[in-house]
Structure formats: C-alpha cells, structure tokens
Amino acid sequence: MATASVSGSREKELWRRLGEVNDPELDEPITEMGFVEHVAVTDDGGVQVDFRLPTYWCSPTFAFLMLDGVRKALDQLSWSPAYRVKLHDHMFAEEVNRGIQAGKAFGEIFGELAGALDLAGLKETFAIKAFKRRQEAVLRGLRQHGLTDRDILAMDLPAYDVARFEPGEAAKQKPRYRAALLERFPDRQADDPVFVTWEGQGIPVGALGAHLAELRGVRVNMEFNGALCRGLKQTRYKELDVVDGELTLVDFIMNRVPARAAPTA
C-alpha cells in the first residue's frame, strides 16, 4: 500500500510539473493541448513521457522549446528520477529525441539549420504575446466586476492579489499574469501599478479602451491558432486509431494505410 501511495503522489507531482510547461506560441499548457500522450512512473522511480504534436511537420523550433521545457520540469521533480522523453511522429523526432536526451542546445541539435534562427528573439516574441493575452483577460474581468478604468489602472500588487473572480478565463490568467509581470519587471515595487505595457509604460485612463482593442487582436489570433492545433491533432489521431500498429501521418501521405482502414464516406 505504501508503494502504491508513493507512486500515486509521484504521478500527481509529475503531471503538475508538466502542466507548467506551455506551448510557446499559444501560451497554453501542453497537458491541456493534449500533446502529452502518455506518462509513467516505473517501479524503480524512473519516468517515461511520450509526446505527440498535431502534424508531422510542426515547427522543430516549437518542438524543441516544449521538450526542453519538459526536460527542465522533470529535473525539478522531488525524487530526481532518471527519465526518458520521446517525441513521436515528427519529421525531426530522431534528432530532437537524441539531443534532448543528451542535454544539447537547439543549435547543437540542428547545426546549420539553426544558424539563421534568432531563438532568443523568438522567445521574446512569445513572451510578449503571453504577457498581453494574460493581461487582457484580467482587465476584462475587472471591468466586468464593475471597477472603473481609473480604479483598475491605479491597482497595485496588494490590491491585485486580493481581487477575486468567478471560475473562468480571468481567474485562470490572474496568477499567470502576475508571474509574467514579475518575470518581466523583477524589481517592481509593491505600490507600482500592476497594469503597464510590455515596455513598462503606464496606461492612461482614457487610452484603456484602445489598449484593450490591441490586446484583443493578440488573443483572437492565439485562440484561432490554438483551435486549429487542437483540431489538427484530434483529426490526425482519430484517423490513426482506426488502424492497427504504430502508423504515422507519413503512412497516410504515402498511401500505406490498409484499405480496410480507410474511412467510410
């Protein structure tokens, strides 16, 4: 019984850590996106994670960033297990799997292919989008609670922390925006305004409507891409479920699916 209890608590911790890893473009946890297909904690405490993306040709940059995030999450597990992380059904699966297992950086894995990519710049672009999306959700939530624009924009961190929302997007994004704010501005004082631009500028009361309109554009784009990813993954693996064996999207492209498995009209 004690062994089962330990295994159960370790699996809960494992899922919690994996839930802290985001799709970098969508700012959604990889667990909610369905990219983590299978996890296991073995009898000796080892960890296995199987990972799949919506398409065979998903950006290798995104694949690396997510799996590097998984690697860092596993390194934080309380029992320091040996682990194996495996990306399936991707055009660079072998390269990424070998590189992640060896602890290599992106440039070491992809060599010349990575030469022209500004990975730091890409990460900053994703961080900006996440910051804006999270901020917009909280701002809308506060407006819906009846706070005036002046009250919202005067809010400091102590006031922000005691604000409460009903379950929903604002409640979900409230701690995530706080984390993004303090990561972006680690030296902020408790009485500094909570709602500022990515550049750290204050938002004039009369400009909040226009500011929200800009943030809405970011959110709509991210939500569309997220819905597209979920739809592609659902369609891809719903089709794979009707055939025996470990087929990949390449099998469909190359017409290697048995006739008996072809979808009916």
Side-chain angles (χ1 to χ4, degrees):
M1 293 293 291
T3 302
S5 175
V6 169
S7 178
S9 66
R10 285 180 172 179
E11 187 166 325
K12 287 181 181 178
E13 182 185 346
L14 173 57
W15 277 110
R16 178 175 62 80
R17 287 294 185 187
L18 292 175
E20 295 170 354
V21 181
N22 288 332
D23 177 304
E25 182 185 26
L26 305 175
D27 194 39
E28 294 284 355
I30 57 173
T31 49
E32 293 184 16
M33 292 299 298
F35 297 160
V36 180
E37 183 177 75
H38 174 75
V39 301
V41 179
T42 59
D43 292 341
D44 62 359
V47 170
Q48 299 175 0
V49 178
D50 291 288
F51 200 82
R52 294 185 194 267
L53 291 169
T55 71
Y56 180 75
W57 50 83
C58 278
S59 165
T61 311
F62 297 172
F64 170 80
L65 289 173
M66 283 184 271
L67 289 171
D68 190 48
V70 169
R71 177 172 61 185
K72 292 173 181 175
L74 298 181
D75 283 338
Q76 296 179 62
L77 290 171
S78 61
W79 69 100
S80 302
Y83 55 79
R84 185 221 67 182
V85 181
K86 188 172 183 180
L87 173 64
H88 295 269
D89 294 345
H90 189 273
M91 59 182 176
F92 285 111
E94 291 185 11
E95 293 87 345
V96 172
N97 288 334
R98 283 198 305 267
I100 290 292
Q101 195 66 34
K104 292 183 177 179
F106 183 78
E108 294 176 297
I109 296 174
F110 293 100
E112 292 182 1
L113 290 174
L117 178 67
D118 179 8
L119 194 60
L122 189 63
K123 287 181 178 179
E124 182 179 27
T125 297
F126 292 148
I128 293 171
K129 292 171 65 176
F131 180 92
K132 291 182 175 181
R133 182 182 186 183
R134 298 176 190 188
Q135 186 187 86
E136 190 243 10
V138 181
L139 286 171
R140 285 192 296 118
L142 291 170
R143 270 188 161 188
Q144 289 166 4
H145 268 253
L147 273 73
T148 68
D149 290 356
R150 186 174 301 278
D151 289 339
I152 293 170
L153 294 174
M155 186 174 284
D156 58 15
L157 204 55
Y160 182 87
D161 287 341
V162 299
R164 294 290 179 268
F165 297 105
E166 297 297 323
E169 188 65 11
K172 173 184 173 181
Q173 297 298 348
K174 179 174 178 274
R176 302 181 83 226
Y177 174 67
R178 188 188 199 279
L181 178 73
L182 295 182
E183 181 176 355
R184 173 63 175 161
F185 306 107
D187 298 327
R188 289 193 78 74
Q189 302 300 307
D191 57 354
D192 288 339
V194 170
F195 298 109
V196 293
T197 67
W198 173 258
E199 295 76 20
Q201 301 299 313
I203 304 166
V205 173
L208 183 57
H211 180 71
L212 277 167
E214 176 197 341
L215 301 188
R216 180 180 180 276
V218 174
R219 170 176 55 86
V220 169
N221 177 264
M222 295 173 76
E223 287 179 347
F224 175 82
N225 288 336
L228 181 62
C229 281
R230 287 184 174 91
L232 286 170
K233 186 175 187 299
Q234 181 180 23
T235 300
R236 180 184 186 189
Y237 293 108
K238 182 178 180 181
E239 290 176 337
L240 291 181
D241 285 344
V242 303
V243 298
D244 297 326
E246 190 68 16
L247 296 176
T248 71
L249 188 59
V250 176
D251 295 305
F252 288 93
I253 295 172
M254 300 301 292
N255 197 29
R256 293 198 293 260
V257 180
R260 63 184 174 81
T264 58

